[in-house]
Amino acid sequence: MRQDLVIGMAGAGGDGVIAAGEALIAAAAIDGYHARMTKSFGSQIRGGESSFRLRMSTAPVLSLGGALDVAVALNWDDFLRFGAELPVGGRTTVIYDSKTGVATSQIPLTGITPAEVVAVPIDQMARDLVGNDRAKNTVVLGLLSGWFGLPAAAILSGLKKRFAAKGEETVKRNEDAFNAGVKYAQEHPLAKGSTLAPVAKTTAKRLIADGNTMCGAAAIVAGCRFFGGYPITPSTEIMQFLTKELFKYGGTVLQAEDEIAGVGAAIGASFAGVKAMTATSGPGMSLKSEMLGLATIAELPLVCVNVQRGGPSTGIPTKSEQSDLFQAVFSAHGDVVRPVLAPVSVADIFGITIEAFNIAEAYQTPVIVLSDGDIGQRKETVDPFNVDAFPIVERDRPAPDELAAYTRFKLTESGVSPISEPGMAGGNYLASGIEHTQSGAPTAAGSVHAEMTAKRSRKLDPLKKRKDLFQEYGRAGAPLALVSWGSVAGIAQEALTLAEREGLRVKLLVPRLLYPVAEEIYRAFFKSVQGGLIVEQSYQGQLWRLLRMFVNVPDGVEPFARPSAVPISPEELVTRLKHIAVELQRGRMPEAAPVE
């Protein structure tokens, strides 16, 4: 039996590919497995190919794994459009619809010999049972259950719920299609198959969620009561969730006429004393940039979520990437420092979103949450957690004695000055995008501009000492290192485990605060390091370059960066780490004395 199973499936629009994946992850959660599922589409407005990739395991899942264990192709043209997103390797069992007319010895996978190739009359089985091909995905679920031991009772339970509204006859037909798949698998056993190990039954409920929904839910918990935005893939689900839920908590959602109006309304709400948020993706961030500058100089709290996608311009809206780091950090005029936070998983974005609100309120600044399409739209099983355990921070409002002679932008040692709101007697002030004195009056005085620039910058200095915004794994004094952020951090964490099994001395740093750069924390981490990788999903290796602006990154630490939707596998990282270790052993660099 295997402890882990990675399944990929592709087909045309209307084949029910995504529905099949969602049925599997729901069944996994019901039966107590850990699972992670990502879905992918072509960039067409309507129709086109779709795929899912799902990893089920008896242990917590940190990444989507490497090559597929099982590849399902309802047709080869659509399957091949996903290329490296659905990598077939030597251990893969390939299942495809015999309707394609392709011989098992002639499948179009150049240079790869899968472990086993099976042609199944999927389309014909669906037509025989239902009268059309709409139950193809259900037949596939039966095949997967029969061949790989996936939880049949949980899948059938999910099918009943899914089709209950369409009547008993529809439910019965899909049950028949599922059972037909199971029967076919039993009558045609795989030559090299093995089933997924069972897990201990548990009564604890496990949540299935995507990152965008978790982000929206966290915003409500943090106290957000206004959202202003404009729909854009892959962030739209945040606004959709809040549209359905925020009014229940006395909040308001404004779908504005464009991105600029959306963020402008959120800034206005913040000025009025309400915790406010906006969300977008790369092209929308470009449009919001000037308004973020307004929030910075007016010292107004604001959370802006950027769910990254492939770019530039409209780029690849349906593919995830980590290429907006430079934009998040630098797309502002003037000497502007604004915090940038990055979640590493669907569960993690809950706490990161709350932390973004806390930082925004505590330091009166816009905060960017740099999520990505993978985290935003993939689904994961999430263990229950205590929502009440997250501290909630409110902005520092002026005391009555301060309102007697209120000075909104008073120069303080911390750089933070109490903020009033409309209707607060004595708290009137001018908030604008122009440089101002401590009272808010416009000024062009260079000395005042210097003071205010320093004030806006130094108030964020404490962030750079927040060790709780960093996760460190592995041996403290290891000479090899991995640094990774966002959705690929789980891949690096798995690579660390594999590398340690192979005897490599490695450690891993996962920053959730990307900017301002926590120089002391990185310096301490790199002290023992002679070689390593900074892992990210971009072409330029943006974090690697950003760190080199502030920290003396060891020469042997190099970027491992790849753009777009070509997954990075843990095995690739281990292979590269071995190569670096060999170079160190050859004496290219003397090994540092362990400090552990």
Side-chain angles (χ1 to χ4, degrees):
M1 285 189 173
R2 62 176 77 210
Q3 304 297 320
D4 201 270
L5 187 67
V6 182
I7 304 169
M9 178 175 172
D15 280 343
V17 171
I18 303 302
E22 292 182 339
L24 286 177
I25 193 170
I30 291 171
D31 253 38
Y33 290 97
H34 299 272
R36 178 177 291 190
M37 171 198 160
T38 185
K39 48 192 176 182
S40 187
F41 306 90
S43 54
Q44 303 90 334
I45 299 297
R46 297 183 65 182
E49 68 279 8
S50 62
S51 75
F52 78 79
R53 180 184 166 103
L54 170 75
R55 185 177 181 187
M56 295 174 61
S57 179
T58 56
V61 174
L62 298 174
S63 79
L64 288 167
L68 301 175
D69 297 308
V70 184
V72 182
L74 295 181
N75 69 75
W76 283 110
D77 287 343
D78 287 325
F79 185 88
L80 295 174
R81 284 191 178 96
F82 291 99
E85 291 179 71
L86 300 176
V88 174
R91 70 181 187 191
T92 307
T93 297
V94 175
I95 302 166
Y96 71 99
D97 195 334
S98 57
K99 181 186 176 184
T100 58
V102 178
T104 54
S105 60
Q106 301 294 323
I107 61 171
L109 296 173
T110 305
I112 298 172
T113 303
E116 191 168 1
V117 180
V118 185
V120 182
I122 299 170
D123 183 273
Q124 190 59 53
M125 290 169 67
R127 289 182 185 279
D128 290 344
L129 290 162
V130 183
N132 55 53
D133 67 351
R134 293 180 183 174
K136 284 194 299 186
N137 57 347
T138 312
V139 172
V140 170
L141 292 176
L143 293 170
L144 295 174
S145 178
W147 273 326
F148 301 99
L150 304 190
I155 295 174
L156 281 170
S157 175
L159 290 175
K160 286 180 182 177
K161 290 181 181 177
R162 181 178 184 84
F163 294 109
K166 296 185 177 181
E168 293 183 4
E169 185 175 350
T170 301
V171 172
K172 178 68 166 52
R173 285 180 175 179
N174 278 277
E175 288 177 341
D176 290 346
F178 177 82
N179 290 327
V182 173
K183 183 180 179 184
Y184 186 94
Q186 292 170 342
E187 293 175 347
H188 302 81
L190 296 175
K192 301 177 180 177
S194 62
T195 58
L196 189 63
V199 288
K201 296 295 181 182
T202 175
T203 56
K205 293 184 178 179
R206 185 167 286 158
L207 178 68
I208 299 174
D210 60 70
N212 283 342
T213 299
M214 289 288 271
C215 179
I220 293 174
V221 173
C224 175
R225 293 298 178 264
F226 185 88
F227 178 94
Y230 185 77
I232 180 171
T233 302
S235 75
T236 304
E237 292 88 351
I238 297 174
M239 184 168 68
Q240 290 173 330
F241 175 84
L242 290 172
T243 299
K244 290 188 294 183
E245 301 295 331
L246 191 57
F247 79 93
K248 299 176 184 176
Y249 301 87
T252 301
V253 172
L254 171 68
Q255 179 177 326
E257 66 269 32
D258 57 36
E259 296 277 8
I260 301 173
V263 67
I267 291 172
S270 180
F271 171 73
V274 176
K275 290 186 179 181
M277 175 184 185
T278 187
T280 187
S281 190
M285 275 296 292
S286 300
L287 296 172
K288 293 181 189 296
S289 293
E290 184 173 350
M291 296 299 279
L292 290 175
L294 170 61
T296 296
I297 198 167
E299 300 196 50
L300 292 171
L302 177 71
V303 172
C304 179
V305 182
N306 177 1
V307 187
Q308 299 169 92
R309 66 191 204 182
S313 188
T314 44
I316 313 179
T318 57
K319 307 293 183 183
S320 183
E321 204 165 71
Q322 293 180 297
S323 53
D324 289 352
L325 177 57
F326 285 171
Q327 181 196 49
V329 171
F330 298 126
S331 63
H333 51 281
D335 275 333
V336 167
V337 180
R338 58 191 179 206
V340 179
L341 303 179
V344 299
S345 68
V346 170
D348 191 49
I349 198 171
F350 192 91
I352 286 296
T353 301
I354 291 177
E355 191 57 49
F357 275 96
N358 287 346
I359 291 172
E361 296 293 322
Y363 299 107
Q364 302 173 17
T365 178
V367 177
I368 295 174
V369 175
L370 206 49
S371 180
D372 60 46
D374 186 21
I375 291 176
Q377 296 191 320
R378 80 183 181 212
K379 290 195 172 183
E380 285 183 22
T381 53
V382 178
D383 290 327
F385 54 87
N386 181 11
V387 172
D388 294 333
F390 294 91
I392 305 299
V393 174
E394 303 293 339
R395 62 187 66 178
D396 182 14
R397 290 179 167 84
D401 61 322
E402 292 174 303
L403 289 171
Y406 183 56
T407 306
R408 165 65 185 100
F409 301 103
K410 183 179 180 181
L411 293 172
T412 62
E413 184 176 348
S414 68
V416 178
S417 37
I419 179 173
S420 66
E421 57 198 47
M424 188 176 285
N428 295 352
Y429 73 98
L430 176 63
S432 69
I434 200 164
E435 190 57 279
H436 45 251
T437 63
Q438 295 186 55
S439 66
T443 181
S447 59
V448 176
H449 175 58
E451 288 177 335
M452 287 297 168
T453 301
K455 174 186 190 295
R456 294 188 288 264
S457 179
R458 73 170 176 271
K459 69 182 180 181
L460 299 175
D461 285 345
L463 278 179
K464 295 191 286 188
K465 302 184 185 298
R466 289 274 306 271
K467 292 182 179 179
D468 61 308
L469 295 175
F470 291 78
Q471 297 168 314
E472 188 169 342
Y473 306 91
R475 299 186 182 191
L480 296 174
L482 292 167
V483 179
S484 190
W485 65 283
S487 60
V488 300
I491 297 168
Q493 198 172 340
E494 282 200 1
L496 173 72
T497 302
L498 295 175
E500 288 181 328
R501 287 177 188 166
E502 303 225 9
L504 296 174
R505 296 171 57 206
V506 189
K507 60 181 178 179
L508 165 66
L509 186 68
V510 178
R512 291 145 87 206
L513 172 69
L514 299 177
Y515 201 77
V517 173
E519 300 169 41
E520 293 180 13
I521 293 174
Y522 283 107
R523 287 192 188 107
F525 178 78
F526 285 129
K527 189 174 182 180
S528 68
V529 174
Q530 300 176 40
L533 303 169
I534 296 182
V535 186
E536 53 191 315
Q537 195 179 33
S538 71
Y539 175 76
Q540 298 184 68
Q542 295 188 11
L543 180 62
W544 178 71
R545 295 181 186 280
L546 176 65
L547 293 183
R548 284 157 54 93
M549 292 177 63
F550 295 88
V551 182
N552 185 22
V553 178
D555 290 342
V557 175
E558 56 193 56
F560 193 106
R562 185 183 295 165
S564 191
V566 183
I568 297 170
S569 73
E571 291 79 8
E572 286 181 284
L573 301 183
V574 175
T575 299
R576 185 60 196 158
L577 286 173
K578 286 181 182 176
H579 181 74
I580 293 172
V582 169
E583 289 182 336
L584 293 175
Q585 291 168 13
R586 287 175 179 166
R588 291 183 55 182
M589 304 172 204
E591 183 172 351
V595 296
E596 57 188 358

